[in-house]
């Protein structure tokens, strides 16, 4: 609960800094954040879930820390006015409901932050079974948002 509240406060505070960022840049930056998270999720998946790459606990922990850092960075501030539709060269896949269903958005954001923070904590300890479980929880939280608020 505290982490979720802190995340929402960071989002609000970050909103002040983002006020100077154009809607096109907001979309660009949030897409970059999600791409970076996806890349790090892929590293964990390859090493822990699939085993297609040799397991390196330090790399897995670093990837989990990157995911948690982005989750807690206040990215919610990058959904400002004017970003509910594609702008210039930046396309968005956010459904309009994202901008009207604030309570539901807060629920999925808190779930994601909690799952990402747990993944970082578990990855630091190095137990592959626990990392795989925590990884799955992050994936579920991502899917929870995508199912509700992302256009295909």
């Amino acid at each position: 609960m505290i982490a979720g509240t802190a995340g929402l406060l960071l989002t609000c505070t970050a909103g002040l800094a983002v006020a100077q960022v154009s809607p096109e840049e907001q979309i660009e930056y949030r897409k970059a954040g999600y791409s970076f998270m996806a890349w790090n999720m892929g590293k964990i998946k390859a090493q822990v879930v699939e085993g297609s790459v040799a397991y390196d606990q330090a790399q897995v922990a670093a990837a989990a820390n990157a995911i948690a850092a982005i989750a807690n960075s206040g990215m919610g501030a990058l959904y400002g006015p004017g970003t509910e539709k594609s702008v210039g060269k930046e396309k968005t896949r956010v459904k309009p409901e994202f901008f009207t269903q604030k309570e539901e958005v807060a629920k999925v954001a808190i779930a994601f932050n909690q799952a990402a923070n747990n993944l970082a904590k578990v990855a630091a300890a190095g137990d592959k079974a626990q990392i795989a479980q925590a990884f799955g929880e992050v994936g579920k939280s991502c899917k929870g948002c995508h199912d509700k608020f992302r256009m295909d």
Side-chain angles (χ1 to χ4, degrees):
M1 181 71 171
I2 293 171
T5 303
L8 291 175
L9 289 174
L10 286 172
T11 299
C12 294
T13 305
L16 299 174
V18 175
Q20 303 301 319
V21 178
S22 73
E24 185 174 13
E25 290 170 321
Q26 289 179 51
I27 295 169
E28 177 185 2
Y29 298 160
R30 72 185 187 216
K31 286 169 52 178
Y34 292 125
S35 292
F36 188 63
M37 281 192 289
W39 178 64
N40 281 286
M41 289 287 287
K43 291 193 296 186
I44 296 170
K45 182 178 180 181
Q47 292 186 40
V48 176
V49 178
E50 298 172 340
S52 59
V53 175
Y55 176 68
D56 181 324
Q57 195 271 330
Q59 286 181 4
V60 169
N65 286 336
I67 294 163
I70 294 169
N72 292 291
S73 70
M75 276 186 55
L78 296 174
Y79 289 88
T83 67
E84 68 279 358
K85 60 188 179 305
S86 297
V87 180
K89 66 177 177 52
E90 293 301 329
K91 307 297 181 219
T92 185
R93 294 188 285 176
V94 177
K95 290 181 180 178
E97 294 84 2
F98 182 91
F99 296 90
T100 59
Q101 297 179 8
K102 303 283 186 200
E103 288 181 20
E104 193 59 31
V105 169
K107 285 180 191 176
V108 297
I110 289 168
F112 174 66
N113 283 20
Q114 290 173 340
N117 289 335
N118 185 56
L119 176 60
K121 177 183 168 188
V122 169
D127 183 304
K128 285 176 66 174
Q130 289 183 351
I131 296 168
Q133 182 178 2
F135 176 85
E137 292 302 315
V138 172
K140 285 180 190 175
S141 70
C142 292
K143 184 175 178 359
C145 186
H146 289 190
D147 287 350
K148 292 177 182 169
F149 299 115
R150 183 177 172 184
M151 293 184 277
D152 289 325

Coordinates of all heavy atoms in Angstrom, one line a residue, residues 20 51 68 81 119 128 133 147:
Q20 N 6.4 20.6 -19.2 CA 7.2 21.2 -20.3 C 7.5 20.3 -21.5 O 8.1 20.7 -22.5 CB 8.5 21.8 -19.7 CG 8.4 22.7 -18.6 CD 7.6 23.9 -18.9 OE1 7.7 24.5 -20.0 NE2 6.7 24.3 -18.0
G51 N 15.5 -20.9 -20.1 CA 16.9 -21.5 -20.0 C 17.6 -21.5 -21.3 O 18.6 -22.2 -21.5
A68 N 11.9 -2.5 -12.1 CA 11.4 -1.8 -10.9 C 11.6 -0.3 -11.0 O 10.7 0.5 -10.6 CB 11.9 -2.4 -9.7
P81 N -2.5 15.5 -21.0 CA -3.5 15.9 -22.0 C -2.9 15.9 -23.4 O -1.7 16.4 -23.6 CB -3.9 17.3 -21.6 CG -3.6 17.3 -20.1 CD -2.4 16.4 -19.9
L119 N 9.7 -8.5 -7.9 CA 10.7 -9.2 -8.8 C 12.1 -8.7 -8.5 O 13.0 -9.6 -8.4 CB 10.3 -8.9 -10.2 CG 11.3 -9.4 -11.3 CD1 11.4 -11.0 -11.2 CD2 10.9 -9.0 -12.7
K128 N 16.0 -19.2 -8.5 CA 15.4 -19.2 -9.8 C 13.9 -19.5 -9.8 O 13.2 -18.9 -10.5 CB 16.1 -20.2 -10.7 CG 17.5 -19.6 -11.2 CD 18.3 -20.6 -12.1 CE 17.6 -21.0 -13.4 NZ 18.4 -21.8 -14.2
Q133 N 8.5 -17.3 -10.6 CA 7.1 -17.0 -10.1 C 6.9 -15.5 -10.1 O 5.8 -15.0 -10.5 CB 6.9 -17.5 -8.7 CG 5.6 -17.3 -8.1 CD 5.3 -17.9 -6.7 OE1 6.2 -18.5 -6.2 NE2 4.1 -17.8 -6.2
D147 N -5.0 -5.7 -21.4 CA -6.3 -6.2 -21.7 C -7.4 -5.1 -21.6 O -8.3 -5.1 -22.3 CB -6.7 -7.4 -20.8 CG -6.0 -8.7 -21.2 OD1 -5.3 -8.7 -22.2 OD2 -6.1 -9.6 -20.4

